[in-house]
Amino acid sequence: QKEVEQNSGPLSVPEGAIASLNCTYSDRGSQSFFWYRQYSGKSPELIMFIYSNGDKEDGRFTAQLNKASQYVSLLIRDSQPSDSATYLCAVTTSSASKIIFGSGTRLSIRP
Amino acid sequence: DADVTQTPRNRITKTGKRIMLECSQTKGHDRMYWYRQDPGLGLRLIYYSFDVKDINKGEISDGYSVSRQAQAKFSLSLESAIPNQTALYFCATSDSKDLWTGELFFGEGSRLTVL
């Protein structure tokens, strides 16, 4: 079992709709959870982090964490074409020594 | 200038050659990482370093070695390159004081092709 799992997509969402991206992780001791966005040919950049159960909102983005289910998600409201990218879920290990990434979900926003 | 600089940005080499990818940073961060990215596999951790004297293996260290020459410099070496090491390599840094926010700052990547 991979430590961090994501559906690779592609996920196609119409412009203006809500995009929902999901991630599961295997290390129950993981403390912090992150969503990175990576445009084609570019480096990943951090868009959200969360470490408490529940929701965390930042503009059009909402991260959701459920540690009991070992599940973290990212919602993007009012999706824009500029949101088309690969979204990488990442988790700090229980020892907090390293950050492990999932394989990424490719999101495409269609006009 | 970029805060995290990788050289070379692109390299084509032959099987069996020794290759070094270099990373330098001006962010003053203590932690540095090397990741490899392959299509459909996301980012996989090769090595990471918490300071000059603290170097650790990641998920896929076989076939690679690293050197932390200074706090600002972290090099990745392939002693004898093989075709399945063809990938996009990213160097990243973080500040241990920001451990729980987990923000990694990435270089622009080094694309390596081994023929």
Side-chain angles (χ1 to χ4, degrees), chain A residues 31-32 34 36 38 43 97 99, chain B residues 35 37 50 100-102 104 107:
Chain A
Q31 297 289 334
S32 299
F34 318 99
Y36 281 77
Q38 185 178 23
S43 308
S97 61
I99 298 173
Chain B
Y35 286 91
Q37 188 169 39
F50 288 171
W100 300 116
T101 66
L104 293 172

Side-chain angles (χ1 to χ4, degrees), chain B residues 45-61:
Chain B
L45 183 62
I46 306 172
Y47 271 96
Y48 59 106
S49 171
F50 288 171
D51 64 38
V52 174
K53 296 180 181 178
D54 186 357
I55 294 177
N56 305 277
K57 293 182 177 180
E59 305 167 88
I60 53 163
S61 59

Side-chain angles (χ1 to χ4, degrees), chain A residues 5 20 36 53-55 64 69 74 81 96-98 106 109 111:
Chain A
E5 298 214 42
S20 178
Y36 281 77
N53 274 329
D55 296 358
Q64 299 175 316
S69 300
L74 179 70
S97 61
K98 55 189 177 183
R106 190 155 54 94
I109 307 300

